[in-house]
Amino acid sequence: HALCADRIHVHMYVNPMQRETDPEIEAYWKLQQQSDYFHFEKPVFGEAYWEQLSRYEFGLSVSEPLVFGETPSSVTMDSLRGAGSSRLMDYLLLGLGVLISPGLQFQWFLARRYASVTVPVTREFFKSPRSTMELALQKKAAAAKKNLSAITTRGVARRLGEFYSKVALRG
């Protein structure tokens, strides 16, 4: 709501199996009816996914319970703090800025280390999201390109291979 109210377009992709009547996304359907800045997008796959995602400035990785001090209803607080996200990895690999809840501790660690720019989504952020994001875009433009080789499939596979070889030699 805050992003749309501040004239920031938000594009949401849902699971192709979800329906408009799904309670988890019901509020978003209402928001789409109320705001010209909220858009549901059709699911995309393969190369079309990467093409579409590369059109955006930022990716979102936000947990409302962590931002607003609420108790999560479908997961434990520990699972939120330690959860990974393949979508976050996609944002990083495309060089997008990341809007993220610092309470998503593992994702926060990755974003701070590998994102072109990281914007903490806190209660303070919602006071002026547009100006905060505009500042972040300036930082992103001036930032040096990050080395992402450690988080690519090839980079991880190489390190895992080295680890397994060392374990095999000891066993």
Side-chain angles (χ1 to χ4, degrees):
H1 286 277
L3 295 173
C4 295
D6 215 7
R7 299 177 336 275
I8 298 166
H9 287 273
V10 177
H11 298 262
M12 183 172 180
Y13 296 81
V14 295
N15 180 324
M17 305 309 272
Q18 282 183 308
R19 304 195 188 303
E20 290 181 33
T21 56
D22 188 333
E24 291 182 3
I25 62 170
E26 184 179 0
Y28 295 113
W29 286 106
K30 289 178 183 174
L31 179 58
Q32 183 187 31
Q33 294 168 354
Q34 299 166 354
S35 175
D36 292 335
Y37 290 91
F38 187 83
H39 315 277
F40 271 108
E41 301 291 344
K42 292 181 180 180
V44 290
F45 305 94
E47 197 58 39
Y49 168 77
W50 295 105
E51 289 172 17
Q52 193 128 357
L53 196 58
S54 69
R55 296 177 187 163
Y56 303 116
E57 304 280 353
F58 292 94
L60 282 167
S61 190
V62 177
S63 171
E64 291 89 351
L66 292 173
V67 174
F68 298 108
E70 301 166 350
T71 302
S73 58
S74 60
V75 296
T76 66
M77 199 60 92
D78 281 346
S79 68
L80 276 178
R81 289 183 187 116
S85 167
S86 59
R87 183 70 47 91
L88 173 64
M89 299 307 286
D90 296 345
Y91 301 155
L92 300 177
L93 292 173
L94 284 174
L96 301 181
V98 179
L99 303 174
I100 186 168
S101 303
L104 295 168
Q105 293 173 348
F106 180 64
Q107 292 182 51
W108 176 252
F109 165 78
L110 288 173
R112 297 275 302 176
R113 188 169 186 165
Y114 295 109
S116 58
V117 67
T118 305
V119 178
V121 176
T122 61
R123 289 181 187 209
E124 186 68 25
F125 167 80
F126 290 114
K127 292 178 183 175
S128 59
R130 184 177 201 83
S131 61
T132 302
M133 291 171 69
E134 287 172 346
L135 247 140
L137 284 174
Q138 292 173 9
K139 288 180 184 176
K140 179 182 171 190
K145 187 165 174 57
K146 303 266 181 144
N147 181 352
L148 304 176
S149 62
I151 61 171
T152 63
T153 304
R154 182 170 286 151
V156 171
R158 182 189 51 75
R159 286 194 323 279
L160 277 175
E162 290 170 4
F163 171 76
Y164 291 137
S165 293
K166 289 177 184 175
V167 169
L169 291 175
R170 289 182 185 198

